[in-house]
Amino acid sequence: MRLVDCGLRKELSTLHLVDLGNARLLVITGAGVSAESGIPTFRGKDGYWRNLDPAKLATPEAFAKDPGLVWQWYRERRRRIRNAQPNPAHQAIAKLAQHAQEVLLVTQNVDDLHARAGSPKEKMVQIHGDIFVTCCSRCDFQRSDLEHDYEDIDVPRCPRCEGLMRPGVVWFGEQLPRDEVRRVENYLEAGPCDFVIVAGTTATFGYIIDWALRARANDGKLIEVNPEETPLSQFATQQVRESAAIALPRLVDQFISRRNFL
Ligand code: OAD
């Protein structure tokens, strides 16, 4: 797909007014950003929720009913993510994070591909959790299972209280992690953003739209990178109807070269 008309070029030609070093940016990503690393999306073509029922795999009730089935699905996803590599979209966002002083990446993705591409932890919020964290469903014990899985154990038990361990992700019907929401809110409260980039998400959840809209300064830009239209598209100052791995490297390079040009 092509860059939607020459509007983006026009948009970018105004960037010389903003020194990237001083610009505030918010980047919001979703499953589409990892799609080109071979990780299925949820609602897209071949997305998980096209063939699987989230009520049976991604709710506290599903876990209570059949924790073994839920673990089977999460182990398979962990395996797939471990075998995947960050793509140019992850790399471009990491580059942006390294060049811009004030940037926050809010990702709905539970994979570790942003981190592996080099996005620093302190500039990233995983708002739906981390698939490689295993936490107790009863006490506050948790561990990282980044390197290995307890493959031989159907449903792991907490070494502290013997409760059932579960993946450290947010399921339907659960609250978002309070500390992570606070980090996003703190960033928004600290000042408006010159650029808000939303890439690879259907923006299904109200808080994603809310953060994107609230973050943008009156004269700021809201750039959506997504081959498809979403509920956020109507609010975007620029719609880039391309894949993230194609559009983001170009977009970021243009940001950075403008900065160097100053
Ligand atoms: P979705 O699967 O809902 O949406 C993926 C979006 O990515 C769609 O809008 C696609 O058009 C777009 N897309 C696909 N390929 C792309 C590409 N190569 N480049 C850019 N965009 C592309 O995924 P999310 O919006 O992330 O939550 O879903 C949000 C949440 O719903 C997930 O975090 C997950 C899910 O249920 C939980 O598990 C709590």
Side-chain angles (χ1 to χ4, degrees):
M1 293 190 107
R2 271 192 61 246
L3 180 72
V4 163
D5 64 58
C6 54
L8 181 62
R9 287 178 215 292
K10 192 168 143 237
E11 218 52 81
L12 290 169
S13 72
T14 63
L15 293 185
H16 64 279
L17 299 174
V18 182
D19 181 344
L20 187 59
N22 297 325
R24 296 196 93 234
L25 295 107
L26 177 69
V27 182
I28 301 178
T29 63
V33 162
S34 294
E36 285 157 287
S37 295
I39 310 296
T41 64
F42 293 93
R43 297 171 187 82
K45 184 175 161 285
D46 301 327
Y48 282 122
W49 300 152
R50 293 285 176 112
N51 304 307
L52 301 171
D53 179 358
K56 293 199 175 114
L57 294 168
T59 62
E61 294 76 21
F63 186 70
K65 190 169 170 211
D66 194 345
L69 178 73
V70 172
W71 265 115
Q72 203 183 325
W73 188 58
Y74 278 92
R75 282 206 187 91
E76 145 61 23
R77 286 179 63 196
R78 282 178 171 185
R79 261 195 298 274
R80 195 188 272 262
I81 294 165
R82 280 197 189 94
N83 291 333
Q85 296 304 323
N87 69 53
H90 299 107
Q91 284 152 1
I93 292 168
K95 191 168 167 184
L96 188 65
Q98 284 150 15
H99 279 78
Q101 219 168 12
E102 285 202 89
V103 59
L104 185 69
L105 165 62
V106 177
T107 184
Q108 297 163 86
N109 298 345
V110 296
D111 65 48
D112 62 344
L113 296 177
H114 279 302
R116 276 201 266 149
S119 281
K121 256 200 154 93
E122 65 279 10
K123 291 182 175 177
M124 175 167 55
V125 170
Q126 279 188 290
I127 201 64
H128 290 166
D130 176 345
I131 197 168
F132 292 112
V133 168
T134 301
C135 55
C136 180
S137 58
R138 196 192 289 163
C139 75
D140 61 3
F141 177 82
Q142 64 174 50
R143 69 170 178 239
S144 168
D145 284 347
L146 192 57
E147 300 300 329
H148 67 287
D149 249 326
Y150 295 80
E151 297 291 347
D152 47 332
I153 307 169
D154 185 36
V155 180
R157 291 266 173 188
C158 176
R160 198 185 285 163
C161 77
E162 276 295 303
L164 296 183
M165 298 283 274
R166 56 164 282 179
V169 300
V170 177
W171 283 330
F172 290 99
E174 293 187 316
Q175 302 280 328
L176 296 176
R178 208 171 25 169
D179 292 350
E180 301 305 281
V181 171
R182 192 65 252 158
R183 286 183 63 207
V184 179
E185 291 294 337
N186 286 347
Y187 188 74
L188 298 193
E189 283 164 19
C193 292
D194 305 290
F195 297 97
V196 178
I197 300 172
V198 183
T201 177
T202 43
T204 303
F205 300 112
Y207 47 87
I208 296 300
I209 297 183
D210 178 56
W211 286 336
L213 298 185
R214 277 170 53 214
R216 181 166 83 89
N218 287 339
D219 58 348
K221 312 282 178 229
L222 172 52
I223 302 171
E224 179 180 61
V225 179
N226 196 317
E228 310 278 335
E229 189 162 326
T230 77
L232 196 67
S233 304
Q234 61 184 306
F235 304 109
T237 55
Q238 196 63 46
Q239 300 168 12
V240 185
R241 296 269 168 257
E242 282 182 303
S243 87
I246 298 285
L248 284 174
R250 185 187 60 237
L251 199 56
V252 167
D253 279 347
Q254 289 178 4
F255 275 159
I256 290 167
S257 61
R258 291 287 172 182
R259 181 201 174 193
N260 291 338
F261 181 73
L262 284 169

